Amino acid sequence: MAHQVVVVLGVPGAGKSTLCRRVASEAFGVEAVDFADLMLSACPPQTDRDALQYMGVTERRPLFALAKEQLVGIVGSGNGTLLLEAHFVMRVNAKIESFGDGLLQLIKPHSLLLVDTTSSAVTDRRRLDAERKRSPEGIGDIDELRGQTYLRAVDLSSKHSIPLKLVLNHNLRTAVSELLTLIPDNR
């Protein structure tokens, strides 16, 4: 039996990782996987996760392919729910790129979850996260990336006939409760 996959997307700093880890710790049979971590597993050990955003498409393509292969194995080998944190829109070297169609066709997710919050909350979270080396984007840049992420989420949902849910992550407890409603055995 395979995992039921919920793809969790949103801009960097929206709270996807925190939300996924919290839900995985509270709900039985839920596993959280970050697609960037799968990509990093193919990199030299000293590679920083935030360095991925500065890699060109040519550098990222083999990492993406290896991560996709790992993910297909994870999806096929488990049961329960897999929360897949992924970025389908990224600013790479000052250019916004989107991707993900091939990945969704492979893993056939149960639903898409767009995690969002205000641009000022994203800025605050990034500033307070001392462990990360996030790009220094201003409110306008974050607004643009949030808008592109919304458009991409709707595009992927309609193209692949996958239900899309928006969770506003202004309060972690409320966001966790909303995400739990998407997990089939936790309703």
Side-chain angles (χ1 to χ4, degrees):
M1 186 168 174
H3 277 104
Q4 282 206 353
V5 180
V6 176
V7 175
V8 181
L9 48 123
V11 300
K16 297 177 305 299
S17 297
T18 303
L19 183 59
C20 288
R21 283 193 306 267
R22 181 71 59 91
V23 169
S25 73
E26 291 186 16
F28 179 76
V30 176
E31 180 182 355
V33 172
D34 185 333
F35 194 76
D37 289 340
L38 297 177
M39 289 177 70
L40 278 173
S41 70
C43 293
Q46 70 276 13
T47 305
D48 180 86
R49 71 177 284 122
D50 294 310
L52 291 172
Q53 69 181 316
Y54 300 108
M55 290 181 180
V57 173
T58 306
E59 292 174 282
R60 271 198 334 268
R61 189 170 286 129
L63 301 176
F64 191 85
L66 288 169
K68 198 162 60 168
E69 205 174 286
Q70 288 178 51
L71 181 61
V72 168
I74 292 168
V75 169
S77 67
N79 53 31
T81 300
L82 178 72
L83 300 176
L84 173 65
E85 180 189 339
H87 295 275
F88 289 102
V89 175
M90 287 182 68
R91 187 179 310 278
V92 180
N93 298 321
K95 179 183 167 202
I96 293 182
E97 295 182 7
S98 59
F99 50 92
D101 287 298
L103 181 64
L104 294 184
Q105 289 171 346
L106 278 175
I107 63 172
K108 301 185 182 351
H110 172 265
S111 55
L112 299 173
L113 176 73
L114 175 58
V115 177
D116 194 25
T117 191
T118 65
S119 295
S120 59
V122 169
T123 302
D124 291 344
R125 289 174 183 169
R126 288 178 178 185
R127 190 181 66 247
L128 295 171
D129 189 354
E131 294 179 17
R132 301 286 301 272
K133 296 176 187 142
R134 298 183 189 265
S135 60
E137 296 176 306
I139 298 286
D141 293 328
I142 294 169
D143 283 343
E144 179 186 20
L145 195 57
R146 285 177 58 226
Q148 291 298 319
T149 300
Y150 270 76
L151 290 172
R152 187 63 175 148
V154 169
D155 177 53
L156 291 169
S157 173
S158 82
K159 253 201 260 189
H160 299 280
S161 301
I162 304 167
L164 171 64
K165 179 167 175 73
L166 171 66
V167 171
L168 298 175
N169 191 13
H170 304 306
N171 174 288
L172 183 60
R173 183 73 249 150
T174 303
V176 166
S177 295
E178 286 186 48
L179 179 48
L180 285 170
T181 67
L182 291 176
I183 299 172
D185 297 333
N186 285 283
R187 291 182 190 180

